[in-house]
């Protein structure tokens, strides 16, 4: 074994066994080099590999720290069977839980980062400098200058992007409902990931669509199963979140993205990529979108600034070089145009150096918060719980021990004012009845840690 | 004949004959009393009757002025036959004209007042004072505090109004599309006024709805004809604008409003009142809404601040004591919530004394602009043209001489950059092919008067 492998292996075991606890500082590179009688470079190599694999984390100017992951991450969440269901029935079944989720503003259940992470001052200054530009009617597709800013912001991950291909919407929710109304007709079959964002079921309900759920594994949607599904029936559309999937937190590999696009193209299936968390993928480079791997004209991107700049702006967009005109017509019928005041305020910010700096800082801070929450939950959750560290964003998808009734946990903790999202709403089927989704996007202050500790009682 | 009637009749004829030109000042009350050897009160009575009937206009502190109306208003626009059509086909037929209307920003075609009339400074100040309140997610139905402001603003015309009955939307366009999706199923028959706002046809197209057009006369929708229609078929919904109808400018009398509500109630038909121009009805008291005349639970109000505070805010609402919850669910699927930044900026303005003052000043100024445009058009339009003076708002609905091809006029004037809305798009049927709708909501500056004079050439 090479020296740096020996050192890697030693620390890995110390962390996995809990001998080095989550949050504990590792020896500095210099100290470790002296201690093991190797070079600084050897230690650096070992530490970098440990960091790449998620065992430790580098904090700027303060050294390397073990990540709290041992107990929760040693078991991967289960992969459900595939199942076909009626969107209408599912929509109705979920109404009760759903209503309680949306009528409270508990920070544990909301799927957005802590509000302290948004560039509020900058946007409020921009709102104060609108100079009447927000008064006149514009195009239903959105202000041309703002669409250009969205296109510029997209080019890092998607290559050259045309402002004409973009339709501005009232958040990603309207982006998806406009796309569904454009492409889906009553009785069509639509593929969703399993688990997936619960509002999809509600949005599909009016179409009387047939929902085909395909499980999400460590590399995203199970593409072998997807292939069997599209071989066995006519599928109209696939809705997928290849980057930082909600709730699982999984980001597909580049190879899986390319294969997903190729599968959709092979059967001429509309492939709707929901990328609301793409800007919040951890790491130095932003996760790339499906269109970066395929020229397939049926790829339709929906996204939003709600998770990265501010939910209350309600500004999202659809990008489709092929169908932009039809989508703009549907948007016109749905709600004419989106708030121009917000479009103008955002125009001065999106695709600037300040925007890039904001996203970089937000990703770094979210990663710390997510790790801090995982460390805390390691102590709170019952033996046998597991999760996968998310690839970005702010959501933790927690498998409680098999047989646990997560909805009962939800009910009990809700009575204490602590609302996490119960797993049952993330599927048409009872695959995730032992899961909870928790928002880890807030600073883990002493108060928040104390509030979270109420969860422990909810398992009693 | 009583003395004040003699005086009334004398001035009426002088104005109708053109002996007193539009815009010309009448003798002061004192002068007229001296001249006719009657009392000041007698003159005042006569002048008030002339003002009530629209022959003259009182300008604060400057006296009474004749209105320019003689030539254009002596013939009332024709009333079309009723006709049933397919919303889908109509939607497609109108696409071409519609696209050109929405892709230009000609001030003649847009259906909103001149942008100088909106309270821009005040709103921009409010945007600059948001204090982060716009960041967090709220309820899909809208911010509770803002809904309370809408309810307060409604009480003047509608009596006690509950904030819980209001769902905030992305403009009246989304309000109507959410209402249609809540109530209308494929194949249902829907009554529209004829002529009516063209976007309704597009919005109804996806439902494959059957459209029943009922003509608009001097007192709004022809209620005898409506009664025959609802006796002869199953009608699901009526969409009507009883206040300042677009494009005709007609406001229904209180009696007609009561009868319309009673007719809808008698057959359990959903009665959707679109009130986007209600705040802009001329006169000292705001026009009242249908719900002021009926307790029928099937009355659903849709409205907007786009015509009175600023189109680019995209804030409208639906009010329904009976169906608010179902409508909020549909809004959740459509686009989650509406721009909170705009809701918060508006919260500080709506239902304040400043808001009431703004509406009062805006109505008075719009009335002057409308009259100025009518005076100018009297000289520009070909012999045989006619219009009814609108009861509010900023739109003139002009009948060109029978046989005139208004779409050809539209095409010719469009080449000069002057886009008025051609009559054909305001109906599923060819009832209004000789009509033009013109925006008279801008100050009639020398430049605008000159631009409008290009219209004359378009009739050549």
């Amino acid at each position: 074994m090479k020296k740096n492998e020996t050192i890697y292996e030693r620390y890995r075991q110390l962390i996995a066994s809990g001998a080095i606890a989550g949050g504990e500082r590792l020896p500095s590179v210099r100290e470790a080099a002296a201690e093991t009688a190797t070079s600084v470079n050897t230690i650096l190599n070992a530490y970098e590999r440990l960091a790449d694999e998620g065992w430790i984390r580098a904090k700027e100017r303060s050294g390397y720290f073990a990540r709290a992951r041992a107990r929760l991450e040693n078991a991967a969440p289960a992969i459900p069977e595939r199942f076909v269901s009626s969107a209408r029935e599912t929509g109705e079944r979920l109404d009760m839980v759903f209503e309680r989720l949306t009528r409270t503003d508990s920070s544990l259940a909301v799927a957005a980062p802590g509000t302290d992470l948004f560039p509020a001052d900058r946007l409020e200054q921009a709102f104060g400098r609108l100079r009447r530009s927000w008064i006149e009617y514009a195009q239903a597709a959105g202000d041309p200058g703002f669409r250009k800013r969205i296109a510029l912001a997209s080019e890092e991950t998607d290559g050259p992007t045309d402002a004409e291909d973009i339709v501005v919407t009232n958040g990603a929710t309207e982006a998806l409902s406009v796309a569904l109304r454009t492409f889906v007709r009553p009785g069509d079959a639509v593929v969703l990931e399993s688990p997936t964002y619960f509002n999809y079921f509600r949005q599909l309900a009016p179409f009387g669509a047939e929902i085909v759920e395909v499980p999400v594994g460590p590399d995203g949607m199970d593409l072998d199963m997807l292939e069997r599904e599209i071989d066995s029936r006519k599928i109209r559309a696939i809705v997928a979140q290849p980057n930082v999937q909600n709730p699982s937190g999984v980001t597909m590999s580049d190879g899986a993205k390319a294969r997903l696009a190729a599968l959709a193209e092979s059967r001429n299936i509309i492939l709707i990529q929901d990328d609301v968390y793409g800007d919040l993928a951890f790491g130095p480079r932003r996760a790339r979108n499906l269109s970066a791997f395929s020229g397939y004209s049926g790829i339709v991107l929906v996204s939003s600034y709600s998770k990265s700049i501010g939910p209350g702006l309600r500004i999202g967009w659809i990008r489709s070089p092929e169908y932009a005109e039809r989508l703009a017509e549907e948007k016109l019928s749905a709600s004419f145009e989106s708030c121009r005041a917000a479009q103008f305020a955002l125009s001065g910010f999106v695709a600037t150096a300040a925007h890039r700096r904001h996203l970089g800082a937000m990703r770094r801070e979210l990663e710390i918060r997510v790790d801090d929450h995982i460390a805390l939950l390691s102590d709170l959750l019952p033996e046998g719980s597991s999760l996968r560290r998310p690839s970005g964003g702010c959501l933790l998808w927690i498998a409680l021990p098999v047989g646990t009734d997560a909805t009962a946990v939800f009910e009990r903790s809700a009575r204490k004012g602590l609302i996490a999202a119960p797993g049952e709403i993330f599927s048409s089927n009872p695959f995730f009845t032992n899961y909870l989704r928790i928002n880890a996007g807030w600073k883990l202050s002493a108060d928040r840690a104390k509030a979270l500790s109420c969860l422990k009682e909810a398992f009693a």
Side-chain angles (χ1 to χ4, degrees), chain A:
Chain A
M1 216 186 284
K2 277 186 172 179
K3 260 197 170 171
N4 58 4
E5 269 194 61
T6 315
I7 288 161
Y8 156 79
E9 194 54 44
R10 177 183 159 207
Y11 281 108
R12 199 188 61 75
Q13 287 179 9
L14 286 171
I15 297 164
S17 68
I20 297 180
E24 196 175 318
R25 194 173 171 283
L26 269 67
S28 77
V29 175
R30 257 165 227 293
E31 286 166 359
E35 194 185 306
T36 56
T38 55
S39 72
V40 164
N41 262 350
T42 303
I43 301 293
L44 265 180
N45 282 342
Y47 277 15
E48 273 167 22
R49 184 169 165 201
L50 288 165
D52 285 349
E53 293 180 8
W55 294 98
I56 64 174
R57 176 172 86 210
K59 280 193 195 172
E60 238 174 295
R61 277 188 284 274
S62 39
Y64 292 86
F65 293 80
R67 275 198 171 119
R69 51 172 287 167
R71 199 167 65 75
L72 285 172
E73 292 196 46
N74 47 13
I79 294 182
E81 297 167 62
R82 80 124 184 82
F83 216 88
V84 177
S85 63
S86 141
R88 199 179 301 278
E89 282 164 26
T90 304
E92 284 163 14
R93 188 175 64 77
L94 300 182
D95 270 2
M96 213 184 63
V97 176
F98 196 78
E99 190 190 7
R100 288 159 65 181
L101 279 185
T102 53
R103 290 205 175 229
T104 60
D105 49 11
S106 156
S107 57
L108 266 191
V110 165
T115 55
D116 61 318
L117 291 177
F118 296 114
D121 291 341
R122 191 164 186 113
L123 266 289
E124 289 180 20
Q125 283 162 22
F127 273 124
R129 283 192 308 262
L130 289 174
R131 300 190 199 294
R132 311 203 164 201
S133 44
W134 53 277
I135 295 183
E136 299 192 37
Y137 280 115
Q139 299 174 12
D143 174 64
F146 179 53
R147 287 152 73 199
K148 181 79 197 152
R149 307 304 297 177
I150 296 176
L152 280 172
S154 306
E155 298 207 333
E156 184 189 343
T157 38
D158 303 323
T161 304
D162 194 338
E164 293 287 308
D165 300 340
I166 286 169
V167 177
V168 181
T169 59
N170 204 34
T173 303
E174 187 181 57
L176 190 69
S177 66
V178 163
L180 293 177
R181 280 200 297 278
T182 301
F183 299 118
V184 180
R185 296 289 159 259
D188 279 352
V190 175
V191 167
L192 297 181
E193 294 164 319
S194 186
T196 197
Y197 175 45
F198 43 80
N199 204 28
Y200 294 163
F201 298 108
R202 290 190 64 114
Q203 293 190 287
L204 281 164
F207 297 99
E210 189 181 53
I211 291 177
V212 179
E213 289 188 39
V214 174
V216 170
D219 196 14
M221 192 188 279
D222 182 328
L223 298 179
D224 292 332
M225 200 171 284
L226 175 65
E227 189 161 7
R228 287 195 296 276
E229 292 295 343
I230 65 181
D231 280 343
S232 71
R233 70 182 68 225
K234 174 101 190 92
I235 300 287
R236 180 65 188 146
I238 298 168
V239 183
Q241 301 187 56
N243 294 330
V244 195
Q245 203 253 358
N246 172 3
S248 72
V250 168
T251 291
M252 279 181 148
S253 64
D254 290 355
K257 287 175 182 169
R259 188 178 164 207
L260 172 58
L263 283 173
E265 184 168 21
S266 72
R267 300 294 191 289
N268 210 26
I269 298 168
I270 295 289
L271 176 53
I272 300 174
Q273 172 180 0
D274 180 345
D275 193 46
V276 292
Y277 295 98
D279 271 338
L280 302 182
F282 301 153
R285 283 189 58 223
R286 190 198 185 283
R288 295 169 78 195
N289 288 327
L290 294 175
S291 55
F293 303 94
S294 165
Y296 174 43
S297 65
I299 297 175
V300 175
L301 184 95
V302 306
S303 196
S304 164
Y305 289 117
S306 297
K307 308 300 182 186
S308 62
I309 301 184
L313 294 172
R314 308 306 307 134
I315 294 292
W317 69 94
I318 318 175
R319 191 189 67 218
S320 163
E322 183 75 14
Y323 302 108
E325 208 169 317
R326 273 176 63 196
L327 291 159
E329 279 173 22
E330 187 59 48
K331 163 66 174 158
L332 183 65
S333 290
S335 64
F336 204 10
E337 58 181 325
S338 295
C339 182
R340 286 196 97 207
Q343 291 183 60
F344 276 104
L346 281 170
S347 284
F349 182 59
V350 166
T352 61
H355 182 215
R356 283 188 293 277
R357 275 196 304 275
H358 159 68
L359 291 178
M362 188 167 179
R363 285 195 285 259
R364 284 190 297 276
E365 178 61 21
L366 274 179
E367 194 168 6
I368 291 168
R369 295 181 181 188
V370 161
D371 285 335
D372 288 348
H373 277 76
I374 293 177
L376 180 74
L377 289 165
S378 294
D379 291 334
L380 286 178
L381 296 177
E383 195 65 41
S385 302
S386 65
L387 59 74
R388 233 178 244 127
R389 187 169 180 270
S391 66
C394 58
L395 301 173
L396 299 181
W397 181 235
I398 301 165
L400 299 172
V402 174
T404 308
D405 181 352
T407 301
V409 172
F410 158 75
E411 304 270 5
R412 282 195 295 270
S413 64
R415 266 177 250 130
K416 299 182 171 68
L418 206 71
I419 318 244
E424 63 159 316
I425 66 175
F426 295 88
S427 170
S428 291
N429 305 292
F431 296 140
F432 304 105
T433 50
N434 61 319
Y435 280 71
L436 280 180
R437 193 195 68 182
I438 285 184
N439 182 343
W442 292 79
K443 203 165 190 66
L444 195 52
S445 63
D447 277 355
R448 186 169 167 94
K450 196 176 162 197
L452 274 163
S453 70
C454 290
L455 259 183
K456 199 162 189 170
E457 299 158 39
F459 295 116

